Amino acid sequence: MKDQIKSYLQRLNHGEPLENVQADFVRECKDVDPAEIMHAEQELLREQGELLEGLRQKQFTELAALERLERDLIPGWERAITQLGWRQVPAGQEMQRDELVHYAQTRRDALQAMVQGFETRQPLWFERSRSLQLQADNILLQMRLRRSLEAAGR
């Protein structure tokens, strides 16, 4: 699945019309299990946690962390955003999908702010990154609370 998403992004980067790529994605990935998307999210969060812990313990340099952010983690969130954004959902569940896209975008933006912090050495970017991480956590908590309330009301 990961390679398939990469191929869609490459097609877009080479100028193929969005409508063509999106139609192929919908046709070929309409049955992607939401659990697979959640697994990918958990993997990205785990990798991000390992990266931050490794920096704290000076297991690798800021340059190595920056490379990993730009090579692996940010593109991983980009793939999640693409998967979620193009996913067909049953009527009435569009809001949930949009919330998940917003969550993934906020996670990506937090990592991009961290990259800016490493590149500029300005603490403001690290503060922004932390603020965005907290915002993403809150989005996820609100979604879970809403689902729990909906389930209790049934």
Side-chain angles (χ1 to χ4, degrees):
M1 182 65 180
K2 187 176 182 179
D3 291 334
Q4 198 172 17
I5 298 296
K6 272 186 182 177
S7 76
Y8 295 132
L9 294 173
Q10 287 172 342
R11 287 169 55 189
L12 289 170
N13 288 337
H14 289 106
E16 189 168 338
L18 173 64
E19 296 78 22
N20 295 354
V21 177
Q22 188 171 7
D24 288 347
F25 176 85
V26 169
R27 186 181 65 254
E28 296 169 15
C29 300
K30 67 180 178 205
D31 297 323
V32 172
D33 184 0
E36 186 177 342
I37 295 171
M38 290 300 290
H39 176 72
E41 175 214 4
Q42 291 303 315
E43 184 67 20
L44 286 167
L45 289 174
R46 184 189 60 73
E47 288 179 27
Q48 182 178 337
E50 288 174 0
L51 177 71
L52 294 175
E53 187 59 30
L55 272 172
R56 275 189 217 104
Q57 295 181 6
K58 301 196 185 294
Q59 293 174 337
F60 42 83
T61 66
E62 287 182 11
L63 184 60
L66 182 62
E67 180 181 319
R68 188 158 176 215
L69 282 166
E70 291 178 327
R71 184 191 66 226
D72 299 327
L73 297 175
I74 292 173
W77 283 111
E78 290 289 347
R79 283 188 298 277
I81 291 164
T82 300
Q83 281 182 315
L84 291 166
W86 286 358
R87 184 167 179 75
Q88 295 281 347
V89 295
Q93 293 185 1
E94 295 88 356
M95 187 174 117
Q96 292 171 333
R97 181 202 49 216
D98 294 346
E99 284 179 316
L100 285 171
V101 169
H102 180 58
Y103 165 76
Q105 289 170 333
T106 305
R107 287 283 183 205
R108 179 212 46 213
D109 293 349
L111 293 177
Q112 288 174 330
M114 188 181 297
V115 166
Q116 286 294 318
F118 284 132
E119 290 176 345
T120 65
R121 299 258 189 244
Q122 294 179 355
L124 174 68
W125 287 108
F126 291 108
E127 292 168 19
R128 174 83 174 132
S129 176
R130 183 67 189 136
S131 174
L132 286 165
Q133 289 175 34
L134 290 172
Q135 183 180 345
D137 290 343
N138 285 333
I139 292 167
L140 196 57
L141 287 172
Q142 289 173 2
M143 289 171 47
R144 288 178 178 161
L145 178 60
R146 189 175 306 112
R147 267 191 232 137
S148 294
L149 292 173
E150 288 171 356
R154 290 182 187 169

